[in-house]
Amino acid sequence: MKQTLSKKQRHIKRVSIILIAAVLSYVIFSMAGSVLVFRIIFARTAAVNAFELTYPDVDAARYPREEISFDSGGNRLRGAVYRPQGKSEGLVLVLNGINCCLDRHLPEIMRFVDCGFTALTFENTGVGQSEGDTTVGLAQARLDAEAAIAFIRQDETLSGLPLVLYGHSLGGYAAATALRGGEDIRAAVCVSSFNSPNENMRYNARARVGVLADVQYPFMCLQNYFLFGDKSDDTAVGAINATDTPVMIVGGSFDEIVPSEISLLDRADELTNPNAVTLRIDDPYRARHSSAWLSRDAARYLAETDDPTDKQRANVLDDAFMERVVSFYRQSIQ
């Protein structure tokens, strides 16, 4: 005999169906929103700032370079190798910040070459002339760094050189996390780096949409995991502590892009790697996100000029900082 539901039971059933439908709709739309947000935030880019040195600006005879390319996740990435005159002391893999093209760190590369090092750099997935519909996400920089290291390991001339890393911002995070499984990496310098992709995304989302970021945050983390799996939120601190490789962590007190809330430098008290050292820059001009390597005059020029186009002035290096980095590398590869 068919049992008839009471009025109260029918009401509870309708409410339950509505709630389930609402929850499912929320989850579906939130996940779709996360996918869309990732595609917008991590869109392709090929922008070069007016103040950046590019290869046509330098003496090609003094700094000859070899164009290279290698695969990362099915995309062909564009890179370049610069070699010193005579025997090379080691190989510096230069890892760029987010959306930075091939020549972004050309001033440091030239200094490394002047000091007797070979240097290799490249454009990340979705940047410049490298392939990729988007830059995918923050953890992609680590995958691209690992692909570059794999290329180095199979190259007859590069594989014989002591390998050290130099990364800025996103590249600093990539340098830290690439230490996992990188037993042949002799040292890493991480400049203006963040600690965690998820922390980074949450902080920046909060800055734009306030508490709404907390509502969407679990779905952003889930999308990040769908894209990168176990590597989606590997922390820089965790990777550094998993090895005894010498690591120099550099940061500025006035970093406007990677503030203390998400900074790797401000997690220094969590480091257990006995060979990790830190360098905090407090000068109000050099202590910004992209000026640690610059002279005070160059950093001040960039900070106080609305349209900085004097490339030579904007790219003068801080000799003391560069000497400290080179000395750190030399000590680590002895």
Side-chain angles (χ1 to χ4, degrees):
M1 186 175 184
K2 187 175 180 180
Q3 187 176 5
T4 303
L5 296 176
S6 68
K7 183 177 180 180
K8 182 177 180 180
Q9 289 173 323
R10 290 197 299 271
H11 176 71
I12 292 173
K13 182 178 180 180
R14 283 197 300 271
V15 170
S16 299
I17 292 173
I18 291 171
L19 287 174
I20 292 171
V23 170
L24 287 176
S25 297
Y26 168 71
V27 170
I28 292 170
F29 281 111
S30 293
M31 281 306 304
S34 295
V35 172
L36 180 60
V37 167
F38 266 69
R39 292 194 66 85
I40 293 172
I41 294 175
F42 301 110
R44 271 200 66 90
T45 183
V48 176
N49 293 311
F51 63 82
E52 292 181 33
L53 280 180
T54 58
Y55 194 59
D57 298 319
V58 306
D59 184 352
R62 183 176 176 182
Y63 302 102
R65 80 178 184 185
E66 171 193 352
E67 298 280 343
I68 62 166
S69 64
F70 55 89
D71 286 326
S72 177
N75 291 307
R76 198 73 179 166
L77 306 189
R78 173 207 186 199
V81 176
Y82 303 78
R83 304 178 193 272
Q85 299 293 328
K87 185 178 179 180
S88 178
E89 293 188 40
L91 170 61
V92 185
L93 174 58
V94 178
L95 302 170
N96 292 329
I98 193 167
N99 299 336
C100 291
C101 292
L102 190 65
D103 297 330
R104 179 65 183 92
H105 291 281
L106 191 53
E108 298 104 293
I109 287 172
M110 293 190 294
R111 180 62 60 89
F112 292 140
V113 171
D114 288 341
C115 292
F117 286 83
T118 299
L120 186 154
T121 191
F122 62 93
E123 292 173 330
N124 286 325
T125 296
V127 177
Q129 296 183 36
S130 287
E131 294 178 349
D133 294 335
T134 70
T135 59
V136 190
L138 296 177
Q140 183 63 40
R142 174 194 180 167
L143 303 184
D144 291 345
E146 290 175 342
I149 293 169
F151 170 81
I152 290 167
R153 286 170 177 161
Q154 58 83 38
D155 185 89
E156 184 176 350
T157 58
L158 299 177
S159 60
L161 298 173
L163 174 62
V164 296
L165 310 181
Y166 177 87
H168 170 240
S169 191
L170 178 61
Y173 170 78
T177 49
L179 294 174
R180 292 192 185 275
E183 293 80 7
D184 52 343
I185 299 171
R186 308 290 283 275
V189 174
C190 306
V191 184
S192 304
S193 309
F194 60 85
N195 179 54
S196 155
N198 285 347
E199 285 179 359
N200 189 323
M201 289 190 298
R202 186 175 194 172
Y203 177 84
N204 284 285
R206 277 178 170 173
R208 289 165 174 78
V209 298
V211 295
L212 290 177
D214 294 329
V215 176
Q216 190 64 20
Y217 178 67
F219 300 98
M220 294 178 67
C221 293
L222 190 58
Q223 171 66 5
N224 203 30
Y225 183 79
F226 286 157
L227 290 170
F228 301 110
D230 292 339
K231 294 182 178 181
S232 63
D233 195 40
D234 196 6
T235 66
V237 167
I240 293 170
N241 287 344
T243 177
D244 60 0
T245 302
V247 179
M248 179 189 293
I249 301 166
V250 183
S253 298
F254 303 99
D255 193 323
E256 71 283 12
I257 304 298
V258 180
S260 60
E261 291 89 343
I262 57 174
S263 169
L264 171 58
L265 179 65
D266 284 274
R267 297 293 186 91
D269 59 340
E270 300 175 21
L271 294 172
T272 58
N273 180 331
N275 297 312
V277 298
T278 61
L279 172 61
R280 181 179 294 276
I281 299 173
D282 292 317
D283 180 277
Y285 294 105
R286 293 191 56 243
R288 300 187 179 212
H289 185 67
S290 299
S291 55
W293 57 89
L294 295 176
S295 70
R296 192 173 195 275
D297 179 73
R300 182 174 182 174
Y301 168 69
L302 288 174
E304 296 184 346
T305 307
D306 292 333
D307 185 22
T309 56
D310 187 339
K311 293 185 178 184
Q312 297 306 315
R313 183 177 180 183
N315 288 282
V316 176
L317 296 173
D318 183 82
D319 291 331
F321 173 76
M322 293 306 300
E323 287 170 7
R324 184 164 183 170
V325 170
V326 170
S327 294
F328 181 74
Y329 288 151
R330 285 174 172 158
Q331 292 169 8
S332 301
I333 64 179
Q334 286 179 350

